[in-house]
Amino acid sequence: MTRWSFTEHPASVGETYLQHLAQAASFSLRLIGGGVACLVHAVLPFLFTRTGSRVVVTLHERMVLNRAAAPAHRQAEPGKALRA
């Protein structure tokens, strides 16, 4: 692995390595929390009735909708997908 490996993708989404680390960690913690809420909901259906879908919608807004509104310098090069 080269240093480039750590910076190529973050740069493609307009972030530094540390900014990308923080964003990805934030997403993962929210996903884990939403997943746990869904598991509890599976056993106790009266709990967390909207938590899983709310987490998905919130993360979709952060990852996809906000990215579409980002300045041009934050957009990926043609042919490269933007991902978190």
Side-chain angles (χ1 to χ4, degrees), residues 15-78:
E15 297 172 341
T16 67
Y17 173 77
L18 292 177
Q19 289 170 329
H20 189 270
L21 174 71
Q23 288 295 320
S26 171
F27 270 70
S28 68
L29 292 173
R30 288 177 183 257
L31 286 168
I32 290 168
V36 169
C38 287
L39 284 171
V40 171
H41 173 74
V43 177
L44 305 168
F46 52 89
L47 294 177
F48 304 112
T49 58
R50 294 188 176 100
T51 304
S53 59
R54 189 172 58 243
V55 168
V56 170
V57 167
T58 301
L59 292 178
H60 178 265
E61 287 172 355
R62 278 181 57 192
M63 185 183 295
V64 178
L65 300 180
N66 289 343
R67 183 175 300 139
H73 74 277
R74 288 217 38 195
Q75 301 299 317
E77 298 171 22

